[in-house]
Amino acid sequence: MEELKLPILAIERLRMLTDGEGVTTLVCSMGCPLRCRLCINPYSWDGSKPVEYLSVDELYERVKIDNLYFLSTKGGLTFGGGEPLLHSAFHAAFMEKYQSTGWTFNLESSLQAPFENIERVIPYISFYAIDVKDMDPVRYKQYTGGDFGIFFDNLMKLKERVDERKIVLKVPKIPRLHKGDEQKESEEKLRKLGFSNVALFDYVDPKDRKKLTENALQNREKLFTD
Ligand code: SF4
């Protein structure tokens, strides 16, 4: 069988209490099925960045430098993206092999993948940070270009399988898309569905933070024209 390799977008060390407990390293992988109009990581899908591939053991070699921090703070790795669930076979293989380290494993995801990809990683994940975008199917489509039904079905299936206290739902207030109470409406819908950890935050237009590529700029213009 061909060796599993993860296309790496970025590896960020020494994050504190941002996802789950303790000190974590964020491992971002390439690829995303969505095209959020104000995408924070367009390099994950617009082909502008050279890609480095790491095997399970090569990733371990890269992140083990923080082993003592992880163990002393109950931290570990967070898998993000892009959409990390596109590579869940890799992540499951990594966690299976290295669960004996005692590290915790977290997932940051928009749940845009077949549910079998999610099922694969459930046995190993301690904490889920779910990027909700918007609970209105029309606005969701307008903003992400993706199918709200896939997100919603996966979210409800995840809730059936996992203690919901392990799930944090991140609900952004998105510039230009949200002009009124849309963020609050999404929060209320999620609470009615039985989710207790709903985190509201103001999304900052990435253009205000970094230079964007031509592809990303064209993609964001669709927020004004669609
Ligand atoms: S989910 Fe949206 S913001 Fe995140 S990488 Fe994909 S397109 Fe960009």
Side-chain angles (χ1 to χ4, degrees):
M1 202 173 75
E2 208 176 308
E3 186 179 23
L4 290 166
K5 296 252 183 180
L6 188 69
I8 299 289
L9 174 65
I11 296 178
E12 288 176 20
R13 294 175 55 210
L14 303 176
R15 287 154 53 98
M16 284 289 293
L17 301 172
T18 45
D19 23 49
E21 284 191 62
V23 173
T24 56
T25 290
L26 176 65
V27 178
C28 292
S29 48
M30 301 289 284
C32 184
L34 297 182
R35 292 292 178 268
C36 298
R37 302 307 179 205
L38 305 180
C39 176
I40 194 168
N41 275 328
Y43 313 105
S44 68
W45 52 259
D46 72 2
S48 64
K49 197 174 188 281
V51 185
E52 178 187 23
Y53 289 84
L54 295 181
S55 69
V56 164
D57 292 334
E58 287 165 344
L59 178 60
Y60 174 72
E61 289 300 317
R62 193 71 76 84
V63 297
K64 73 178 186 187
I65 186 172
D66 293 315
N67 178 48
L68 285 180
Y69 291 124
F70 297 158
L71 293 181
S72 57
T73 64
K74 296 187 184 161
L77 299 189
T78 298
F79 297 112
E83 175 50 75
L85 289 171
L86 298 182
H87 310 286
S88 70
F90 177 97
H91 294 118
F94 183 95
M95 293 184 283
E96 169 69 25
K97 183 158 185 181
Y98 290 110
Q99 59 185 339
S100 59
T101 54
W103 302 350
T104 56
F105 298 115
N106 311 308
L107 181 73
E108 271 187 10
S109 167
S110 304
L111 299 182
Q112 281 289 341
F115 190 69
E116 64 192 56
N117 292 28
I118 304 173
E119 269 186 316
R120 243 182 237 137
V121 296
I122 284 177
Y124 311 101
I125 296 291
S126 301
F127 172 81
Y128 299 80
I130 304 301
D131 196 0
V132 172
K133 318 286 188 194
D134 198 306
M135 285 297 288
D136 177 80
V138 174
R139 276 198 306 269
Y140 185 95
K141 176 90 181 162
Q142 181 195 1
Y143 181 67
T144 68
D147 182 344
F148 179 80
I150 294 174
F151 161 75
F152 186 75
D153 287 353
N154 283 338
L155 181 63
M156 299 318 286
K157 284 182 190 159
L158 183 64
K159 186 165 174 283
E160 280 168 18
R161 308 281 212 290
V162 170
D163 180 343
E164 70 86 22
R165 288 170 299 181
K166 291 179 168 184
I167 304 172
V168 169
L169 297 167
K170 292 162 54 180
V171 180
K173 183 173 176 66
I174 300 172
R176 298 186 192 93
L177 183 72
H178 295 154
K179 301 185 181 83
D181 291 335
E182 297 92 342
Q183 188 188 32
K184 271 272 164 218
E185 285 165 20
S186 289
E187 180 191 12
E188 275 165 27
K189 283 183 188 171
L190 290 164
R191 293 204 185 278
K192 276 188 191 147
L193 290 166
F195 291 99
S196 52
N197 297 323
V198 182
L200 306 187
F201 67 102
D202 285 328
Y203 189 80
V204 178
D205 187 334
K207 200 166 175 241
D208 297 336
R209 289 188 265 186
K210 56 184 165 189
K211 193 170 180 301
L212 296 180
T213 60
E214 227 12 73
N215 268 348
L217 287 169
Q218 279 172 17
N219 186 56
R220 77 193 299 284
E221 285 312 308
K222 292 184 181 164
L223 185 57
F224 308 105
T225 53
D226 281 0

